[in-house]
Amino acid sequence: MRKTTLLLLILLTVFTACTAVFADDAEDFKEVIFEELNILRKKYGCGELTFDKALNAAAQHQAEYLAEIGDLDSHGPAGESVHDRAVDAGYGGDKSFTIRETNAMVWVDTDINYLIEEVWRKSQPSVRVMFEQAARQVGIGIADAPDKHRFIVLTLAGLDDGTDDYSITRPTYDYRTPKPTVSATPSPEPLITSTMNPDGGVYHVVKEGETFSEIALAYGLDWYTLANRNYIKLSDTTPVVIMEGQTLVIEPTYTLTPTPTPTKTPVPPTWTPRPTFTADPAGFGTVITPAVKNLPAPNLARLLDKMLTWKRPVGWILLGFSIPGLYFSLRKK
């Protein structure tokens, strides 16, 4: 019995020591983030921040919620916005305020410099949060998930009247008790998908509160397909950040390939012999003489015989022309 009791005491002591180490590690991590953030804000001409108890509570609750679901989300467990979560924690009292928030998912052994320089400073929405001019107070929440991921929530706010003092005039929200649901409150509207354009493309304009995973799920796409179509690099340590008003390519436009239309090539006409026309002796029009296809070969012997019958008259005619010519050529002038 004594050995069992002693063993339980040893295990309890070890567990308590480990818990204290992890708690101190998270608190140290938070303090270093706070110091580095103020160094950067001072460098770029922004006012220094002070820790606020209410903002710290709201940020811590959100970090624990993210570690529970194992994913990043800008809304709380009941869909609350960062403004509502700050009010529930008691920040601002009855005064109006400006508030911004960003978060990150890294490994528990991730260096703080990597978190600030490679995760937050390379994200435009996170940069806007870090260097918010109206912010005067800050809250930082850190929670570790069982899979060794660490979730960090950074919340910056400032009262619109420029002061730092406010009184809590309403009860703070007890996170252990769920918010009462009112039947008259409508349920959140589902994400509205876009229709296909005539060119086959589908584009989605990001609205407030929509997340990358919700959009991919609504269109039946996986993360990698949606990320590749929008040139978004996925990383185990860097969350996917999309901005309100950003246009995402869901389906790219297709390129029309012209279909060749058959054209008839004209066949050159065949040559047809043209018939010859001869005048009608009677004067009643023209007579079509068909083209002669095969002519008989000439009879040369018969032709020579006919020429011999005309040799004497031809000789006398030639002699008649020759004598006067000889006379005129010999006549003296």
Side-chain angles (χ1 to χ4, degrees), residues 5-319:
T5 305
L6 182 60
L7 181 61
L8 289 175
L9 289 174
I10 293 173
L11 291 176
L12 181 61
T13 304
V14 171
F15 177 77
T16 304
C18 291
T19 304
V21 169
F22 285 120
D24 291 341
D25 179 62
E27 288 299 320
D28 292 342
F29 202 85
K30 183 184 300 186
E31 288 291 340
V32 176
I33 292 175
F34 174 73
E35 293 173 2
E36 293 295 327
L37 181 60
N38 269 332
I39 291 174
L40 285 174
R41 286 178 62 89
K42 185 177 181 180
K43 178 180 178 181
Y44 291 101
C46 303
E48 292 190 20
L49 303 171
T50 58
F51 267 125
D52 183 86
K53 184 178 179 180
L55 291 180
N56 266 330
Q60 183 61 34
H61 172 66
Q62 182 67 4
E64 292 172 359
Y65 167 66
L66 298 182
E68 180 182 349
I69 64 174
D71 197 3
L72 296 176
D73 196 347
S74 60
H75 293 83
E80 312 98 320
S81 66
V82 58
H83 184 278
D84 292 340
R85 286 187 275 110
V87 171
D88 290 339
Y91 179 76
D94 287 329
K95 295 183 178 180
S96 62
F97 57 87
T98 300
I99 188 169
R100 289 186 182 273
E101 184 178 85
T102 188
N103 49 40
M105 179 179 65
V106 297
W107 297 107
V108 292
D109 57 353
T110 299
D111 184 74
I112 293 179
N113 184 66
Y114 180 87
L115 167 67
I116 295 176
E117 297 296 331
E118 299 297 326
V119 178
W120 279 339
R121 293 197 65 182
K122 289 189 177 181
S123 167
Q124 195 62 33
S126 298
V127 170
R128 287 200 295 265
V129 174
M130 294 171 64
F131 299 104
E132 171 60 50
Q133 292 284 351
R136 300 174 64 88
Q137 291 95 19
V138 62
I140 302 175
I142 298 175
D144 295 339
D147 61 355
K148 304 301 182 182
H149 275 110
R150 172 166 286 178
F151 292 84
I152 303 101
V153 176
L154 180 67
T155 307
L156 277 71
L159 301 177
D160 292 342
D161 62 5
T163 64
D164 296 338
D165 299 326
Y166 61 90
S167 58
I168 301 176
T169 57
R170 64 188 70 180
T172 58
Y173 177 64
D174 184 1
Y175 293 119
R176 295 170 297 178
T177 305
K179 283 187 173 182
T181 57
V182 182
S183 58
T185 303
S187 59
E189 295 183 0
L191 189 145
I192 301 175
T193 58
S194 303
T195 57
M196 181 180 294
N197 293 339
D199 59 2
V202 179
Y203 304 93
H204 182 83
V205 180
V206 179
K207 299 178 181 60
E208 182 182 2
E210 294 180 351
T211 63
F212 189 78
S213 58
E214 289 175 342
I215 296 172
L217 180 63
Y219 288 95
L221 298 175
D222 58 80
W223 280 36
Y224 295 97
T225 301
L226 185 57
N228 289 335
R229 290 178 181 177
N230 292 274
Y231 303 98
I232 297 174
K233 184 178 180 181
L234 295 179
S235 173
D236 291 337
T237 58
T238 305
V240 178
V241 179
I242 55 176
M243 295 179 288
E244 181 182 353
Q246 179 180 350
T247 300
L248 297 178
V249 178
I250 306 301
E251 292 291 341
T253 58
Y254 54 76
T255 303
L256 291 176
T257 303
T259 304
T261 56
T263 56
K264 294 183 178 181
T265 304
V267 180
T270 57
W271 182 78
T272 303
R274 184 176 181 182
T276 59
F277 296 88
T278 57
D280 183 8
F284 295 106
T286 57
V287 179
I288 299 175
T289 303
V292 180
K293 296 182 179 179
N294 297 318
L295 296 176
N299 193 339
L300 296 179
R302 187 177 178 183
L303 181 60
L304 289 175
D305 290 342
K306 287 184 179 182
M307 292 179 64
L308 290 175
T309 60
W310 290 90
K311 68 181 180 178
R312 185 172 297 210
V314 172
W316 282 111
I317 292 172
L318 293 176
L319 183 61

